[in-house]
Amino acid sequence: PTPDVDPTYFAKKISRFYKVFIRKEVKSYKGETWLSGGGREYKVLSYWCFCAGAAIHDVIKKEIWSLLLTSGTLSPLDAFSSELQVNFPIQLKNPHVIGPEQMWVGVVKSGPDSVELSSVYHNRTNVAYQSSLGNAISTFSRVIPKGMLVFFPSYSSMNECTSHWRDNGITESINSCKHVFEEPRGKTDFNAVMDAYSTTISNPALPGAGAVFLGVCRGKISEGMDFSDNNGRGVVITGLPFPPKNDPRVRLKMEFLNEAQSLKGEKFLTGSEWYKQQASRSVNQAIGRVIRHKHDFGAILLCDTRFSYPVNISQLPCWIQPSVKIYGKFSEAVVSLKSFFSEKDLSVTMPGKPKNVPTALEFANNTRAIVRERSKRKFESA
């Protein structure tokens, strides 16, 4: 520490913002076989920071003039300010570039057979729920044109549903209208599936009316990917993606926030508040995949009855909240959705887009190719 800093400052900060976690793992080393006991047990020590303010405070101490943070997913700003432990005296919340007539937002509380749609943990393996959700998505695939995204709370919930759908003819029903793609975990497979999804939608020679991409909140396609225009005319959120409570990082984060409630002069979220907001932010990230520019349009379907609760509506982006409608009957949602798309022109896309501009995926692949080529040349010249 520098002379003008309290020598105990860093120790105090570490004790407040960091936690140590030790876990046991078993690893097999080269040359070992099952005869040697299946591997050796060893301990892994993790040193985790649970407050972003630890890094931000160091930046502010540099006597910077201004700190500007911009993003479309910072809301709610009070919670964001609490996470960073920074007061933002100047805050700007802009409306979306689209008008309310360019989006359809609905909470669909039940499926075609009137079974309640609820992805609470104990209900996810309920076959009646899985069938009702699958038949709802099959119906939506016949109403929403071109590309449609479906997000599940987790990979396990997606796998359980899709397995049931395949065994009971629901996947076949969806495939009769749109080609079904599932988000893979591997990077190589992911690039190939993304290409196939985009090609299916844009190729008029292929049968069907588009494609359905099944993914996971906090997964690869839910954050940072662009599904503008016909690549994403509708997004279906099947539930609230709460983090797994048995994850050590999640458990210790909640423990840290609850302990921080006793600190004087500092305001933190409670562990429960943070836990709920993680689900809301993941939902908002997934919603943001579809409407990408001022001429775009699409539908947002929240297929879990819990989205009808005022507390959950209040966590949606402010530009969506005034347009949310709650549908107690599935048929009413379908009629409204049909009316919305009947008035839209699918040929409208982002104007002035230069020709031969690579997509984000193509750009990433080209960049990796350049890096590999440069590394190869450097190795050969060494």
Side-chain angles (χ1 to χ4, degrees), residues 143-147 178 201 209 228-233 295-298 340-350:
V143 179
I144 298 174
K146 301 299 182 178
K178 293 185 187 296
I201 293 171
S228 62
D229 301 323
N230 287 339
N231 281 334
R233 289 303 179 195
H295 298 284
D296 211 348
F297 62 87
F340 172 79
F341 281 110
S342 68
E343 302 169 355
K344 297 295 181 285
D345 183 0
L346 296 180
S347 65
V348 174
T349 58
M350 187 185 297

Side-chain angles (χ1 to χ4, degrees), residues 232-246:
R233 289 303 179 195
V235 56
V236 178
I237 309 295
T238 67
L240 288 164
F242 292 103
K245 274 193 173 180
N246 59 345

